[in-house]
Amino acid sequence: MWWGQAPKVLYTFLENCDFGDATIVPFCTSGSSGINGSLDDLHALAPEATWMDGQRFSSEVSQDEVAQWVDGLGLDL
């Protein structure tokens, strides 16, 4: 995240891919910016996808914390 916005490369990626019935789980690392500022714009680029709540992690997040978050999503991985 940079000043509350996702990197432009994500916008390009979402614009150019067919997500069909995919589930998208947005996440990021950031020292201070939240994730919510760009979610509406990202959703608009892949409206056919199912969007789950996003998560921002600090730079100090551990691998175990991320793994616990992923496990708690209830996705069939």
Side-chain angles (χ1 to χ4, degrees):
M1 299 306 293
W2 191 257
W3 296 101
Q5 293 298 310
K8 295 301 178 193
V9 68
L10 288 180
Y11 291 85
T12 302
F13 176 70
L14 291 171
E15 288 172 336
N16 290 291
C17 294
D18 177 12
F19 288 93
D21 62 352
T23 298
I24 299 175
V25 185
F27 65 95
C28 68
T29 58
S30 176
S32 62
S33 293
I35 192 171
N36 293 331
S38 63
L39 290 181
D40 287 341
D41 293 337
L42 296 174
H43 288 193
L45 297 173
E48 69 281 3
T50 299
W51 286 82
M52 295 183 70
D53 290 337
Q55 176 69 36
R56 181 188 74 79
F57 295 101
S58 72
S59 60
E60 289 97 28
V61 68
S62 71
Q63 184 174 347
D64 288 337
E65 289 174 289
V66 174
Q68 286 177 355
W69 175 71
V70 171
D71 290 343
L73 293 171
L75 297 172
D76 186 21
L77 302 174

